[in-house]
Amino acid sequence: MSTLAEPLPAAPAARRPPTDWKDPAMLARVRRRYRSERIFRSVGLAALVFAVGFLGLLLVTMLQNGLGGFRQTQVKIEAVLDPTLLELGSDRSEEALESANYVAVYTRAIRDSLGSDATRVASASGWLALRERVMADPALLGQTVEIWVPVRSPIDQYAKGRIDPDIPPELSPIAPDQRAAYLRLKEEGLIRTGFNRTFLVTSDSKAPETAGIWGALVGSLMTIAVTLALAFPVGVLSAVYLEEFAPRNRWTDLIEVSINNLAAVPSIIFGLLGLAVFLNTMGLPRSAPLVGGLTLALMTLPVIVVAARAAIKAVPPSIRDAALGIGASRLQTVFEHVVPLALPGILTGTIIGVGRALGETAPLLMIGMKAFIVDAPRRITDPATALPVQIFLWSEDVDRGFVEKTSAAILVLLMVLLLINAVAIYLRNKYERKW
Amino acid sequence: MSTDTLARIASKQEAVDAPPLMTARDVHVYYGKKHALKGVSIDITRENVTAFIGPSGCGKSTFLRCFNRMNDTVDGARVTGRIELEGEDIYAPEMDVVQLRARVGMVFQKPNPFPKSIYENIAYGPRIHGLAASPQDMDEIVTTSLMRAGLWEEVKDRLQDSGTALSGGQQQRLCIARAIAVDPEVILMDEPCSALDPIATAKVEELIDELRGRYAIVIVTHNMQQAARVSQKTAFFHLGDLVEYDDTSVIFTNPKESRTRDYITGRYG
Ligand SMILES: Nc1ncnc2c1ncn2[C@@H]1O[C@H](COP(=O)(O)OP(=O)(O)OP(=O)(O)O)[C@@H](O)[C@H]1O
Ligand SMILES: [Mg+2]
């Protein structure tokens, strides 16, 4: 008899007939198994088709409405850049050039080179193109230049065939004489519809034909940069600390629950918090990407913490043993072994958080990033707006030109998101290859 | 496996009388309320390979992990008693755990190379401990470690390949090479061959035999024949107790305790 342990209980000597694998009931079970698998597959496929279909629908609608925003009808004018008319004096400094009276030159150029009926064809803000030209090359002063300027929004819509030519004149957004002038200019070869560079390089404007996305794009990128610069390091460090260093007790449990809850708090509340803390208490500048970024960082932080913790948890413990076992310190173990292995997961989580932040509107409205701003911000403390806010602002305008711009801006936002995701996938693959 | 064969192999093992490098005195380990190791005392020498044997769950790994304080990383684990390395109490507050783990290396049951190149796997330890004076020096450390672990011939042309791309047996020898690259005094091996085929096992056993004398080696094994083949001292554990600790030749031919005899002859259970 063994001294080591109690003997095992004898296995029950059950006498059962051998299993009949060809039994009809057994075959029926097999058939049922195949059937449920088939059903599951078709349901899954249907779900996928449904999801992809919706995405496709969104994209097609946006492309249909928005592609026109990347094209603009223009009219060619001949402008005499007379310094006297520009009220320039002898000063040729940048400020002087910027504040010169281009409107006068522009108005005269339209009248003289196109005829007085053309004033209602060419855009009222077309002088901006003149200014841009002169600022780029002051040597043009005193000369006569040919320049393409945008036409007014309704004419643009008409030129793109978006206005039904048969609707009664009293309902049409263009007056009969306006249309006649347009048709005359077109006849003379002074009209063209081409790529709308203005949309990509200028900022908001009251007139849709000169409104651009650049300012909002820069505002968004600055905001996101601030968000990332704050939320990524703080989020990753918190996650590392919580996972690898913090003791497990009631306090850390409480913190964990709070963070998970924070990730689900509606964004408008973060906006209110940003308003109260950053603007009212700390007195940071209103409408600035700095404050927008800080506010969105608060919102993104919990997302990054949760994702980073999951990624760190997924690193096999044997790697920690291996590093500790040859005398790596805890810090070395964490930052030279665990974090690099968790990085793909951390990056994925960060991108999800940043993508969400990029599309966030409500908190930015709360901190005043909805002002009408005609210049792209140069510093993160300049007043700015952001892509989703710009989309929101334009979408409230009934002008057909802005409807088109809204969709075009959405396309730009989608492109930025796509780009960010592409970068994330690239980074993830790069780090995963090292495994 | 016949007991006679075991006895025949074991009787060839001659333990040398030597001063201990590490000593454990009255070591208890608790996991929370669970008393996993109950007052174990043992001496470990450079000259003799020590084998820990015993049924699953008896506390072999737990005890082994006391020698390099890997139990510190387990939540709720508590160690009492005294363990010394060359007369120094390794659980004393002034003992630096990082240095201790460099001096007392460990090879784990499951091969766990870093997901980095073969070269980097070996070079990592010497680098963090500042053992290489120059890149050439580092190359030499990597080369000799791989040679001593018997892996050099197989990997010398692909040092930049990932360590995880090696076979299981090669990975385990890579882990051994990684452990000896920091030039430890003691190497703790927790079932190093449990995932290996007989050929890879034989290589590791050969390796242990070659390393004996230079490093104090402790090996946990479930394979009685392996214990008989590689060790000169054997400790038999049961339910957290050290039942018997003696020369391998004595344990396998003429154990004092009946529990030891039952386990070795396979009458356990
Ligand atoms: N981290 C832990 N937490 C709680 N109990 C543990 C822990 N690790 C081990 N134990 C318990 O301590 C006892 C000894 O475990 P140990 O791993 O040392 O056994 P072992 O002899 O190495 O077994 P095996 O041969 O199966 O590896 C077991 O009863 C086990 O359940
Ligand atoms: Mg074990």
Side-chain angles (χ1 to χ4, degrees), chain B residues 31 34 36 56-62 74 191 222:
Chain B
Y31 291 113
K34 185 177 166 57
S56 193
C58 66
K60 307 178 296 291
S61 300
T62 299
V74 178
E191 301 184 43
H222 279 290

Side-chain angles (χ1 to χ4, degrees), chain A residues 70-359:
Chain A
F70 294 100
R71 293 168 59 75
Q72 170 70 41
T73 309
Q74 295 167 317
V75 58
K76 184 158 83 174
I77 60 168
E78 259 172 43
V80 186
L81 298 172
D82 178 4
T84 328
L85 196 56
L86 284 168
E87 296 166 15
L88 256 177
S90 56
D91 189 2
R92 291 288 182 276
S93 67
E94 196 149 315
E95 294 84 60
L97 287 179
E98 189 161 10
S99 55
N101 189 356
Y102 294 96
V103 179
V105 172
Y106 179 62
T107 320
R108 181 177 293 180
I110 295 172
R111 214 181 49 222
D112 291 354
S113 68
L114 302 180
S116 52
D117 60 341
T119 29
R120 295 190 51 207
V121 173
S123 163
S125 339
W127 59 270
L128 286 165
L130 272 181
R131 183 174 73 176
E132 195 190 336
R133 188 71 165 272
V134 171
M135 305 254 322
D137 184 8
L140 289 174
L141 285 173
Q143 298 183 25
T144 303
V145 293
E146 277 189 354
I147 187 165
W148 289 92
V149 297
V151 300
R152 285 170 187 251
S153 174
I155 305 272
D156 179 43
Q157 294 298 316
Y158 181 76
K160 289 181 195 157
R162 289 186 176 258
I163 292 177
D164 184 358
D166 297 329
I167 53 172
E170 63 273 19
L171 290 180
S172 174
I174 29 180
D177 59 330
Q178 213 178 354
R179 180 157 73 180
Y182 162 71
L183 290 174
R184 175 180 68 79
L185 292 169
K186 188 168 180 179
E187 199 76 347
E188 291 169 17
L190 296 171
I191 299 281
R192 70 169 187 196
T193 301
F195 178 66
N196 188 1
R197 202 181 68 91
T198 313
F199 180 64
L200 293 182
V201 300
T202 64
S203 303
D204 202 3
S205 161
K206 292 285 182 218
E209 65 269 21
T210 45
I213 200 71
W214 180 245
L217 185 63
V218 173
S220 260
L221 293 181
M222 282 183 173
T223 307
I224 286 303
V226 172
T227 302
L228 254 187
L230 189 74
F232 184 72
V234 175
V236 172
L237 287 179
S238 319
V240 166
Y241 182 79
L242 279 174
E243 272 311 310
E244 300 283 334
F245 295 99
R248 291 258 171 282
N249 58 29
R250 220 172 309 149
W251 289 111
T252 43
D253 284 350
L254 193 71
I255 290 173
E256 171 159 10
V257 171
S258 316
I259 290 177
N260 291 348
N261 271 338
L262 224 50
V265 167
S267 57
I268 186 106
I269 294 177
F270 287 103
L272 283 169
L273 186 69
L275 177 65
V277 175
F278 300 126
L279 296 186
N280 295 346
T281 308
M282 293 169 64
L284 293 175
R286 191 164 259 287
S287 309
L290 173 66
V291 177
L294 290 175
T295 308
L296 292 182
L298 290 181
M299 198 187 87
T300 311
L301 200 58
V303 179
I304 295 182
V305 173
V306 170
R309 287 189 68 179
I312 289 169
K313 233 184 242 166
V315 174
S318 61
I319 295 297
R320 293 183 185 83
D321 285 346
L324 292 173
I326 51 167
S329 69
R330 275 175 85 179
L331 209 63
Q332 284 167 330
T333 305
V334 169
F335 284 101
E336 288 166 19
H337 298 281
V338 177
V339 170
L341 290 182
L343 208 54
I346 296 178
L347 286 178
T348 311
T350 306
I351 293 302
I352 291 174
V354 166
R356 214 185 94 175
L358 191 65

